[in-house]
């Protein structure tokens, strides 16, 4: 069976650590600051390291972000790139094509996340509107980049679940 490139790299690095160790074959001693050791991938999942019960692919997706329709005041829609900071404590957005973060909000400032909340923005019964809210603020995001309403709804559900878990985590940390 062929090894994936990362697995091959890991085996190669371990082999080099063993070759560079002292002559005693029973132990491997190395400096913990050795860049080779620090470059070894951690076997613990990203979700475990961050203290959140989410699969790594979902965490990667929310950190990388995606395009949403952001509902603004006066019922205006703006196309925005929405993403979370790598520590999963802030939600950020920016204009498409602009690499600078336009604005961000801490997730701990929200109390709840709902999908398709009763509102004038949710025109269709099966829309993919996500609302992050508290007593004083709300953020309305609509997932609308897939080809079908059902696909948009599925992706919105994934984001809703992930955001809810990130909000819970942020309140425990801070």
């Amino acid at each position: 069976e062929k090894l994936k490139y990362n697995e091959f790299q890991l085996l190669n690095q371990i082999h080099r650590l063993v070759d560079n160790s002292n002559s005693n074959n029973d132990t491997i001693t190395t400096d913990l600051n050795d860049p080779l050791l620090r470059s070894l991938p951690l076997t613990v999942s990203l979700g475990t390291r961050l203290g959140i019960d989410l699969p790594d692919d979902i965490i990667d997706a929310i950190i990388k972000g995606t395009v949403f329709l952001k509902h603004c005041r006066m019922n205006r829609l703006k196309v925005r790139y929405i993403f979370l900071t790598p520590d999963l404590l802030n939600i950020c957005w920016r204009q498409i094509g602009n690499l600078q973060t336009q604005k961000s909000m801490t997730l701990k400032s929200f109390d709840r996340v709902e999908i398709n909340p009763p509102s004038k923005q949710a025109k269709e019964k099966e829309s993919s509107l996500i609302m992050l809210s508290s007593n004083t603020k709300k953020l309305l995001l609509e997932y609308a980049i897939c080809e079908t309403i059902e696909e948009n709804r599925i992706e919105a559900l994934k984001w809703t679940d992930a955001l809810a878990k990130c909000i819970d985590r942020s309140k425990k940390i801070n």
Side-chain angles (χ1 to χ4, degrees):
E1 184 178 350
K2 290 186 176 181
L3 291 175
K4 293 178 185 173
Y5 179 72
N6 288 344
E7 292 170 334
F8 175 76
Q9 238 181 350
L10 175 62
L11 289 173
N12 206 7
Q13 289 172 339
I14 290 171
H15 179 72
R16 288 195 346 227
L17 278 174
V18 171
D19 285 348
N20 292 336
S21 68
N22 61 17
S23 60
N24 182 353
N25 291 335
D26 296 329
T27 61
I28 299 173
T29 57
T30 187
D31 179 12
L32 292 178
N33 293 320
D34 182 351
L36 182 60
L37 180 64
R38 291 207 171 269
S39 69
L40 291 174
L42 297 174
T43 56
V44 178
S45 75
L46 184 58
T48 303
R49 281 186 269 156
L50 290 171
I52 192 163
D53 182 27
L54 282 172
D56 285 355
D57 60 331
I58 300 290
I59 294 172
D60 286 341
I62 61 178
I63 290 172
K64 288 177 186 170
T66 193
V67 175
F68 279 88
L69 294 174
K70 184 176 174 291
H71 291 254
C72 303
R73 294 183 186 139
M74 311 282 278
N75 288 333
R76 291 183 312 160
L77 290 176
K78 292 185 179 180
V79 178
R80 293 291 181 256
Y81 194 81
I82 309 292
F83 58 99
L84 268 59
T85 53
D87 59 5
L88 304 179
L89 295 177
N90 300 297
I91 187 166
C92 310
W93 57 91
R94 61 178 167 81
Q95 291 179 352
I96 304 299
N98 185 355
L99 297 179
Q100 297 291 327
T101 299
Q102 183 178 346
K103 193 166 181 184
S104 67
M105 297 174 88
T106 62
L107 287 175
K108 72 177 181 178
S109 65
F110 295 105
D111 297 327
R112 60 195 166 278
V113 182
E114 300 174 61
I115 189 160
N116 298 328
S119 69
K120 56 188 172 188
Q121 286 89 352
K123 295 179 178 115
E124 297 180 24
K125 191 174 184 179
E126 292 292 314
S127 78
S128 53
L129 188 69
I130 300 170
M131 181 174 75
L132 290 90
S133 60
S134 70
N135 291 338
T136 58
K137 63 177 94 177
K138 69 179 175 180
L139 179 62
L140 291 169
L141 305 170
E142 187 171 350
Y143 198 97
I145 61 171
C146 295
E147 290 184 19
T148 67
I149 293 171
E150 185 57 32
E151 289 173 321
N152 284 327
R153 182 157 171 74
I154 290 168
E155 291 302 314
L157 284 168
K158 289 179 188 175
W159 271 82
T160 303
D161 180 52
L163 288 169
K165 289 180 179 179
C166 290
I167 288 171
D168 289 343
R169 176 184 171 270
S170 70
K171 290 185 183 288
K172 290 175 186 172
I173 288 176
N174 296 322

